[in-house]
Amino acid sequence: MARIGHTISSRITLGVLALQIIILPTLYFGLVYLLKENNEETFLNSSRGHARFLADRLERIADPYRDAEVIEILDSVVLSGDGMFSELIGADGVILSSLVTESDAKRYITDTKIGDHDDNTYYISVPVVTQRDMFTLRVGFDETPYMESNATAYKSGLYITLAYLAALLLLLPFIGHRIAQPIKNLQQASRQVAGGVLSEQLSIESDLVELTDLAEDLERMKQRLIGTSQQLQEEIEEHKKSEANRRSLETQLRHSQRLQAVGTMAGGIAHELNNILVPIILYTDIAIEDLPKDSASIESLERVLASATRAKGIVSQVLMFGHKIDTGSLVPTDMAEVLRESIELMRASTPHTATVELHIADDCPPVMANAGLLNQLTLNLYSNAVQALIDAKGKVIFSLARSRADSALSGLYPALADRDLVRLQVMDNGHGMDEETLQRIFEPFFTTRAVGEGTGLGLSVVHGIVADLNGAILVQSTLESGSTFSVYLPAYVDKSVTSDQLA
Amino acid sequence: MINVLLIDDEKDVRESIAQVLSRAGYHVQVANTVEAGLAMLDKGDYELLISDIIMPGANGVQAIEEVRERNRTIKIMAISGGGNFGPKDYQPQAIATTAYLQAATEAGADAILTKPFTRAELVERVSSLLQAE
C-alpha cells in the first residue's frame, strides 16, 4: 500500500542536502581565498627575494655609474623572464637596463598591491647602499604567472567542492541506511508483536543511544501490556462467567415466576371447576335416589356421575402441567383485525346504552403474537372496562396506534427503548381505582367485584400475556373519573425486507 | 336433630350439600359469606360448621379462627376445591388449597374435605366427625 510521508532515509538526505546550500559556497569561496592568498604570498616573496638578491649584488659594485656590470645585473632581471623592467636610481642619474626603454618605466615607484595599474607589472623598489652613494633599485615583475595561478585556484576550488558533493551523494544513502535500518528492524518487530507474536523481542542494534533507549522502553511497555492484557483477559473471562451465571439465575427466576403464575392460574381454574363439579355430582346422586329403581334415566345419570368423576381426574391432571406459551406459535399478527373481532363479539353482551368507540391508526404494524392470545387480551380488557362503568351510559374508548417508548416507559422497561411499538389503549369513564387497588389489580384472584361476579383472573391473564409477548402494561386511574390501560407490544420487524425495499 | 351451618359463596354448591345433608337427617342452614355465617352462629345453636375456604372477601380460615375463639365445642369441617398442584416448593398463601387446608387445620378445623366429593364421602365424613369425641 502506498503511503504518503517521509522515510527517515529520505528525510536525512533532504536535510543534509539542504545543509549543503550553506556549506558548499562557504567551502568553495574559502578554498579559493586560501589558494589565492598562498599564490600572492609566493609571488611577493619570490619578487622581493629576487629584488633583494639583485640589490645585494649591486651593493658590491664600488661605483655603479662606471661599472658595466650594473647593466648586466639589471638586464638579468628581464633575461630571467621574471621581470619586465629594471632600473637603478641614484642621486646623479638613472641607470636603465639595456633591454627596456624609458617609456617602459611608469611614473610610480612601488605598487601597493598586485594588479595595480592594469599593466600586468608589479613594481618593487629596494634601497641599494654602495660605497659611493645610496641608490634605489626599481624592478617590475611580470604578474601573468600569478594571474594564471589564481585561475587554477578557482578551478581547483570548484573541483574540490564538486568532489566533496559527489562523495556526499555517494555516502548519504549509506548514512541514511545506517540510521534507518535499526529503526526498520524495530518496526518489523513491533508489527510482529502487534500481530500477536508476543515472544518477538523489541530490540535494536545501533550505536545511537536514543534508539537503544527507545527499544528498551518499547520492550518494557510490551511486557507491561502483556501483563495488563492477560489480566484483562482473565477479567473478561470472569465477567463472562458471572454474566452467564446471572443470565442463568435470571432464567431460573423467570421460570420460577412463570411457574408461580401458572400455579396460581391453574389453582384458580381447578378451584372453579371443582366447585362446579360438587353440585353436578351431588344432584346427580340425589336424582338417582329419587327415581324409581327401574327408571331408564338411572343409567344416564350414572353416566353423568362417571363423567364428572372423569372431569375431576382431568382437572387434577391439568394441575400437574405448567402452562407455557410456545414461542413457536407466535406469528406476525394484525392487532387491528383481532381488536375489531373481539369488540364485535363483546358488543352483544354490552348494555346498549354504553358507548364503545374504536380508533385504529392506518399505519399500525403487526406484532409477534397469535390471534388467540390477543383475543384473550382484548376481551379481558374490554370486560374489565365495561364492568368498571358506573351506569349503563358510560363510555369505553379503544385506540390502537404505532408508538415509541417515552422516558418513563423506557426507564421501567429498558428493552422497549428505541423500538417501534404498537400501543393499545383502553380508556373508560368508570369509577376508577384507589392506590391500594391499583397496586393489586394484576394479582390473580384479586377482585373488587361482588361475590360470585368475577374470578379476579382477567387482568392477571392480561398481565401474563403482555409479559410473554415482551411488552409492557401501564395503568392510570382516577377515582370517579375512570381508568386507562395502555398495552405496549414490540412491533414486528421483517428482517428479510431491506431498507431499500421499504423505501 | 343436629344443627349444621354451611358457608359457601357458590349457590349450587351450598344447596346441593344442604340437600344431601338434609336427606341424611341433619338440619342444615346456609350462609353465602363469612360475615353472614358468623352472624347466624351468634344467634343459633350449631353442632357442626362446614365452611368453604377460598371465598371473596373474608376467607374460610378467618371464619374458622373466629368461630374457634367463640365456641370451643362446635365441630368444624373445612371444604375447598383444588388440589395439590404445582412444584412442591411452591405454595403461595393466596391460592394453594393445600396451604389453605393446612391453615384451616391450624386455625382449629377438625376435618378437611377436598372438593369435589361424592355424596357417600360427604355423609360419611360428617357422620364420623360428629360421632368422634
Side-chain angles (χ1 to χ4, degrees):
Chain A
M1 192 175 74
R3 293 178 64 200
I4 298 166
H6 296 281
T7 61
I8 289 175
S9 193
S10 72
R11 186 54 71 87
I12 289 170
T13 307
L14 277 175
V16 169
L17 287 178
L19 203 61
Q20 300 318 309
I21 293 174
I22 301 166
I23 292 177
L24 286 179
T26 312
L27 180 72
Y28 173 72
F29 289 111
L31 266 174
V32 168
Y33 173 79
L34 286 175
L35 287 171
K36 274 176 76 183
E37 282 287 302
N38 189 45
N39 283 344
E40 189 175 325
E41 206 177 316
T42 310
F43 177 76
L44 289 179
N45 286 342
S46 150
S47 301
R48 283 176 192 142
H50 200 155
R52 191 66 249 163
F53 171 73
L54 291 177
D56 289 347
R57 280 183 69 188
L58 287 170
E59 280 175 356
R60 283 197 289 270
I61 295 172
D63 185 357
Y65 289 113
R66 294 176 196 284
D67 200 330
E69 196 186 351
V70 171
I71 301 296
E72 272 176 44
I73 291 169
L74 291 174
D75 285 350
S76 74
V77 173
V78 181
L79 287 172
S80 72
D82 291 341
M84 305 284 282
F85 177 84
S86 61
E87 64 180 359
L88 186 67
I89 303 162
D92 297 329
V94 174
I95 305 165
L96 195 65
S97 162
S98 64
L99 297 174
V100 295
T101 60
E102 186 66 31
S103 62
D104 293 332
K106 300 290 183 292
R107 292 301 104 215
Y108 32 80
I109 300 301
T110 298
D111 279 356
T112 51
K113 59 181 184 189
I114 302 168
D116 275 357
H117 315 307
D118 290 329
D119 56 358
N120 288 339
T121 309
Y122 179 70
Y123 289 94
I124 297 172
S125 295
V126 287
V128 176
V129 183
T130 63
Q131 289 171 354
R132 187 184 163 199
D133 211 345
M134 278 194 64
F135 294 86
T136 298
L137 173 67
R138 205 163 75 90
V139 186
F141 289 98
D142 186 5
E143 288 178 345
T144 312
Y146 165 75
M147 294 299 179
E148 280 168 0
S149 287
N150 276 357
T152 311
Y154 280 110
K155 271 185 197 163
S156 302
L158 189 66
Y159 291 152
I160 290 171
T161 307
L162 287 175
Y164 163 76
L165 189 62
L168 193 70
L169 287 175
L170 284 172
L171 271 173
L172 265 178
F174 175 71
I175 295 168
H177 179 80
R178 267 279 328 244
I179 297 174
Q181 193 54 44
I183 298 176
K184 277 185 184 166
N185 292 344
L186 185 63
Q187 185 189 37
Q188 268 176 359
S190 301
R191 283 185 180 163
Q192 293 266 336
V193 172
V197 188
L198 297 176
S199 56
E200 186 75 23
Q201 178 86 11
L202 291 175
S203 61
I204 199 163
E205 276 175 34
S206 170
D207 45 8
L208 296 174
V209 179
E210 288 92 337
L211 291 184
T212 49
D213 282 356
L214 174 69
E216 280 168 19
D217 289 347
L218 284 175
E219 178 63 23
R220 267 201 297 277
M221 195 165 84
K222 186 193 88 180
Q223 295 299 346
R224 286 193 65 180
L225 281 176
I226 289 172
T228 312
S229 158
Q230 277 171 350
Q231 197 183 340
L232 211 64
Q233 198 64 35
E234 281 164 18
E235 279 173 20
I236 289 170
E237 287 301 319
E238 205 166 307
H239 181 75
K240 273 185 189 164
K241 265 187 211 162
S242 73
E243 180 69 11
N245 195 26
R246 191 182 64 79
R247 278 201 196 135
S248 148
L249 280 174
E250 263 181 23
T251 310
Q252 282 178 29
L253 182 69
R254 269 204 296 276
H255 186 62
S256 107
Q257 281 172 342
R258 181 185 296 283
L259 281 180
Q260 283 191 14
V262 166
T264 306
M265 199 142 112
I269 294 165
H271 178 256
E272 294 298 316
L273 280 177
N274 286 340
N275 267 322
I276 291 164
L277 285 172
V278 171
I280 293 174
I281 293 169
L282 297 185
Y283 279 132
T284 309
D285 204 324
I286 289 169
I288 290 169
E289 185 185 75
D290 290 350
L291 281 169
K293 296 284 176 242
D294 57 351
S295 170
S297 299
I298 288 179
E299 196 192 333
S300 306
L301 290 172
E302 277 170 350
R303 285 190 180 184
V304 172
L305 265 183
S307 294
T309 308
R310 208 174 130 239
K312 181 186 170 184
I314 288 169
V315 169
S316 61
Q317 273 184 55
V318 166
L319 288 169
M320 299 305 287
F321 290 95
H323 175 256
K324 187 181 177 186
I325 292 178
D326 176 12
T327 49
S329 72
L330 302 182
V331 288
T333 311
D334 181 9
M335 209 167 167
E337 200 184 312
V338 175
L339 189 59
R340 283 194 198 98
E341 278 173 12
S342 302
I343 286 175
E344 197 57 42
L345 201 70
M346 284 294 281
R347 234 187 258 277
S349 61
T350 312
H352 289 293
T353 44
T355 316
V356 177
E357 284 180 19
L358 180 59
H359 304 288
I360 296 174
D362 292 335
D363 63 339
C364 223
V367 294
M368 273 306 269
N370 63 49
L373 287 174
L374 292 182
N375 238 314
Q376 248 183 304
L377 179 84
T378 49
L379 286 177
N380 277 308
L381 286 172
Y382 189 109
S383 160
N384 188 69
V386 168
Q387 290 185 36
L389 299 179
I390 296 163
D391 54 41
K393 285 178 187 165
K395 193 189 231 182
V396 179
I397 302 170
F398 280 83
S399 55
L400 187 69
R402 181 188 283 268
S403 172
R404 300 285 284 193
D406 59 15
S407 59
L409 185 65
S410 305
L412 285 168
Y413 299 92
L416 295 185
D418 302 323
R419 287 195 65 172
D420 268 336
L421 303 172
V422 175
R423 187 190 64 186
L424 169 65
Q425 212 164 46
V426 186
M427 210 184 299
D428 69 67
N429 61 352
H431 47 61
M433 291 174 276
D434 58 20
E435 191 55 36
E436 195 189 340
T437 307
L438 264 179
Q439 294 291 327
R440 296 188 60 194
I441 45 166
F442 294 120
E443 284 181 17
F445 295 100
F446 175 78
T447 180
T448 55
R449 286 170 206 152
V451 173
E453 274 187 22
T455 60
L457 277 173
L459 288 179
S460 69
V461 167
V462 167
H463 189 270
I465 292 171
V466 170
D468 274 333
L469 298 179
N470 300 316
I473 182 164
L474 299 181
V475 193
Q476 284 177 311
S477 189
T478 313
L479 270 179
E480 313 305 332
S481 304
S483 308
T484 303
F485 286 76
S486 304
V487 173
Y488 296 88
L489 296 176
Y492 169 71
V493 182
D494 186 355
K495 285 172 184 147
S496 65
V497 179
T498 65
S499 52
D500 289 347
Q501 283 172 299
L502 284 172
Chain B
M1 198 178 261
I2 294 169
N3 285 326
V4 176
L5 176 64
L6 171 65
I7 307 174
D8 200 307
D9 60 315
E10 299 266 348
K11 183 171 177 279
D12 287 333
V13 173
R14 272 195 314 270
E15 291 182 355
S16 59
I17 293 174
Q19 201 170 338
V20 165
L21 292 180
S22 297
R23 289 192 180 208
Y26 301 100
H27 178 248
V28 185
Q29 285 189 292
V30 293
N32 63 348
T33 63
V34 170
E35 290 79 4
L38 290 174
M40 288 170 73
L41 269 173
D42 283 342
K43 289 175 194 160
D45 181 22
Y46 299 96
E47 281 157 77
L48 174 63
L49 167 67
I50 300 174
S51 179
D52 188 17
I53 299 297
I54 300 165
M55 290 181 283
N59 63 48
V61 175
Q62 290 165 297
I64 292 165
E65 277 173 354
E66 294 231 359
V67 171
R68 254 309 155 243
E69 273 181 27
R70 297 174 203 190
N71 187 337
R72 297 201 164 272
T73 56
I74 189 170
K75 301 286 183 187
I76 302 174
M77 178 190 278
I79 55 172
S80 190
N84 189 6
F85 55 84
K88 282 209 168 87
D89 58 349
Y90 168 64
Q91 293 190 337
Q93 290 301 308
I95 196 64
T97 306
T98 47
Y100 257 94
L101 291 175
Q102 176 79 26
T105 310
E106 283 167 13
D110 300 297
I112 53 173
L113 189 59
T114 307
K115 293 176 187 173
F117 36 76
T118 62
R119 184 182 182 184
E121 282 169 347
L122 175 64
V123 173
E124 198 278 322
R125 290 300 296 276
V126 168
S127 162
S128 60
L129 182 59
L130 286 170
Q131 279 165 17
E133 272 310 316

